[in-house]
Amino acid sequence: MKLRYSTTSPFARKCLVVAMETGLEDRVEVVITSPWAESDLPKDNPLGKIPALVTDGGEGLFDSPVICEYLDSLHGGVRLLPPEGGKRWSQLRLVALGDGLLDALVAKRVETAMRPEDKRWGNWIERQDKAVARSLDVLEDECTLWGSDFLMGQIAVACALSYADFRFAADGWRTGRPRLAAWFAEIAKRPSMVRSEPKE
Ligand SMILES: N[C@@H](CCC(=O)N[C@@H](CS)C(=O)NCC(=O)O)C(=O)O
């Protein structure tokens, strides 16, 4: 399998963390691809986004939740996305929260780092900040219920918190959120998280 990947993309990182956590890393060839440069990426994902996974059968899969679930179907261990029951729904909800947090952070990044300064829309940035703050507050309340779980939802959340550190350290997401900060401090030590840390 080929994973279209960038070392700065938190969505692509989710897929690599899943591959590492499930023992599939040796089967995944990482192909560094920038979604912002001219490339053949659209043949694997017509949306022109990363991640995209090309299966051994040649099919291009996207987006990150689909790729993560596909990878999760290929190993014989405990599923990172429980196949049924209440825990499946709470994990899917947590994936949506982690991915939504990332959507807001990436939207803010595009607005503040890529859009020309005179074209920036303050209300849009403020809206993303509010979505980020509300989501982090919910995670602060809920993270004590997770125990030692590092399932699909926790992976999405961990990649989002790390991305907040990577791009918006000055925003100080840990302030007022000691439980989430303590959870992340432990999770960030996992080999899959250490080995996939974002870099320019
Ligand atoms: N929902 C998608 C989001 C992927 C995404 O936004 N990727 C960014 C990089 S972090 C990208 O490729 N952006 C290029 C673009 O928006 O055109 C997923 O979960 O994979």
Side-chain angles (χ1 to χ4, degrees):
M1 292 173 280
K2 289 194 170 107
L3 178 65
R4 300 272 204 169
Y5 185 85
S6 148
T7 57
T8 60
S9 167
F11 294 105
R13 185 185 186 188
K14 284 171 52 195
C15 304
L16 193 57
V17 169
V18 167
M20 288 174 174
E21 291 284 338
T22 56
L24 292 169
E25 196 187 349
D26 290 351
R27 290 178 58 188
V28 176
E29 180 192 340
V30 168
V31 180
I32 300 292
T33 307
S34 166
W36 304 107
E38 253 335 285
S39 77
D40 59 352
L41 170 62
K43 85 178 160 48
D44 298 327
N45 179 356
L47 300 170
K49 296 188 184 200
I50 54 162
L53 183 90
V54 184
T55 68
D56 289 340
E59 187 177 22
L61 290 184
F62 51 89
D63 54 359
S64 65
V66 175
I67 296 170
C68 288
E69 191 165 353
Y70 177 73
L71 292 173
D72 199 30
S73 76
L74 298 181
H75 66 94
V78 174
R79 287 289 160 90
L80 297 182
L81 190 59
E84 58 193 6
K87 198 154 180 183
R88 175 175 176 81
W89 294 108
S90 51
Q91 277 296 314
L92 285 171
R93 173 185 173 277
L94 197 56
V95 169
L97 191 54
D99 283 357
L101 181 52
L102 274 177
D103 284 336
L105 288 166
V106 169
K108 178 174 167 173
R109 168 76 184 165
V110 169
E111 194 70 26
T112 54
M114 299 180 84
R115 196 184 296 283
E117 212 164 337
D118 60 322
K119 297 197 170 61
R120 285 180 196 159
W121 183 12
N123 288 353
W124 181 246
I125 298 171
E126 206 180 300
R127 190 172 169 80
Q128 307 312 318
D129 278 338
K130 284 182 180 163
V132 168
R134 284 192 304 261
S135 305
L136 291 171
D137 287 344
V138 168
L139 293 169
E140 168 70 5
D141 286 344
E142 296 183 2
C143 66
T144 50
L145 305 172
W146 297 343
S148 59
D149 279 356
F150 193 57
L151 302 177
M152 213 62 103
Q154 283 87 8
I155 289 173
V157 170
C159 291
L161 297 177
S162 175
Y163 186 76
D165 280 338
F166 180 53
R167 293 302 194 201
F168 300 107
D171 288 358
W173 66 264
R174 290 172 179 78
T175 305
R177 301 184 186 103
R179 296 184 294 260
L180 191 58
W183 175 81
F184 182 64
E186 281 310 306
I187 283 305
K189 293 178 194 158
R190 290 179 83 94
S192 64
M193 291 297 291
V194 172
R195 292 181 51 226
S196 62
E197 263 184 21
K199 49 181 173 284
E200 287 290 0

